[in-house]
Amino acid sequence: KQEVTQIPAALSVPEGENLVLNCSFTDSAIYNLQWFRQDPGKGLTSLLLIQSSQREQTSGRLNASLDKSSGRSTLYIAASQPGDSATYLCAVIDDYKLSFGAGTTVTVRA
Amino acid sequence: EAGVAQSPRYKIIEKRQSVAFWCNPISGHATLYWYQQILGQGPKLLIQFQNNGVVDDSQLPKDRFSAERLKGVDSTLKIQPAKLEDSAVYLCASSLQEVGTEAFFGQGTRLTVV
């Protein structure tokens, strides 16, 4: 059974600092990995999808890396802003489903 | 492109009552998922449909939960009777194919059982 872990559970940084969010998974036989953002009381917004053949994916200030062999993915958010405050979830796609971590709740202080 | 639509957004019921949630996926998406998200936890898969068929319902509490997907499009998730521990956000998601493609989520239904 796939186990997905996100550390730390919470993070607070001053505006402008770079964010580093970690995701680890136990079974490296995955298809893809997807990062999501969740605002309080809202659904999940897809940020990036990294295919298993890729090592990284970029979108604007966001960059996600994937190392299947070590079972790790990292989401980097450059020059954080207060609007980046949210919970960030990673999901591993294997077999037919997404398996989620518990998320990292980020607070960016103005 | 319209996103995944869910209703209602919020529901409060008493324990032992029944409740139903509705989901309309993105047009053309063959795969539909229902997830349960308890406060402070990541979403947990309840059931996955590929068109009309069930791909995975191994974590669905079948004594009280049921789900169907009508004509491979809309889906309903029902709880009968509800328990206090069913209080959670119920998320619906859809994707184009069954394996590996990007999943898109709706806004969720927040259920409170009192």
Side-chain angles (χ1 to χ4, degrees):
Chain A
K1 180 188 173 188
Q2 182 75 260
E3 300 287 341
V4 183
T5 304
Q6 291 188 248
I7 295 174
L11 189 59
S12 178
V13 300
E15 182 177 3
E17 193 164 299
N18 296 332
L19 288 164
V20 180
L21 308 178
N22 298 303
C23 172
S24 61
F25 47 95
T26 53
D27 186 347
S28 62
I30 66 170
Y31 284 98
N32 300 318
L33 186 144
Q34 194 168 354
W35 281 94
F36 294 88
R37 169 184 172 138
Q38 186 172 33
D39 293 289
K42 299 291 181 74
L44 278 65
T45 300
S46 179
L47 297 174
L48 290 167
L49 174 75
I50 311 175
Q51 297 181 2
S52 59
S53 58
Q54 297 177 307
R55 293 193 64 84
E56 66 178 84
Q57 186 71 261
T58 299
S59 176
R61 294 185 295 114
L62 276 59
N63 174 274
S65 66
L66 174 63
D67 184 344
K68 277 183 56 178
S69 61
S70 66
R72 293 178 183 275
S73 177
T74 303
L75 178 66
Y76 302 91
I77 304 177
S80 61
Q81 304 167 359
D84 294 329
S85 297
T87 297
Y88 292 83
L89 295 145
C90 72
V92 169
I93 305 171
D94 59 7
D95 287 337
Y96 300 99
K97 66 185 181 192
L98 291 82
S99 299
F100 283 87
T104 295
T105 298
V106 171
T107 303
V108 181
R109 307 185 305 269
Chain B
E1 177 184 89
V4 177
Q6 289 188 248
S7 67
R9 286 296 315 278
Y10 307 94
K11 191 75 175 179
I12 301 174
I13 61 172
E14 294 182 351
K15 59 183 179 183
R16 292 187 290 274
Q17 285 188 324
S18 63
V19 64
F21 312 128
W22 174 82
C23 173
N24 180 243
I26 293 173
S27 177
H29 280 195
T31 303
L32 185 146
Y33 311 82
W34 283 103
Y35 281 84
Q36 179 193 58
Q37 187 177 25
I38 293 172
L39 188 64
Q41 299 180 16
K44 181 186 82 172
L45 179 69
L46 292 175
I47 189 167
Q48 179 179 342
F49 292 95
Q50 176 73 10
N51 296 309
N52 288 336
V54 175
V55 175
D56 186 345
D57 64 356
S58 58
Q59 297 193 84
L60 185 75
K62 298 180 184 65
D63 58 334
R64 298 184 300 106
F65 286 64
S66 64
E68 62 178 0
R69 188 172 185 193
L70 306 173
K71 298 180 181 178
V73 183
D74 292 6
S75 178
T76 55
L77 176 69
K78 297 179 181 178
I79 307 174
Q80 182 179 13
K83 293 185 175 181
L84 296 177
E85 59 260 37
D86 298 332
S87 295
V89 176
Y90 291 84
L91 296 162
C92 180
S94 69
S95 64
L96 272 173
Q97 300 173 17
E98 69 180 40
V99 177
T101 55
E102 191 171 6
F104 297 89
F105 281 75
Q107 290 294 297
T109 296
R110 180 175 296 278
L111 174 67
T112 302
V113 183
V114 298

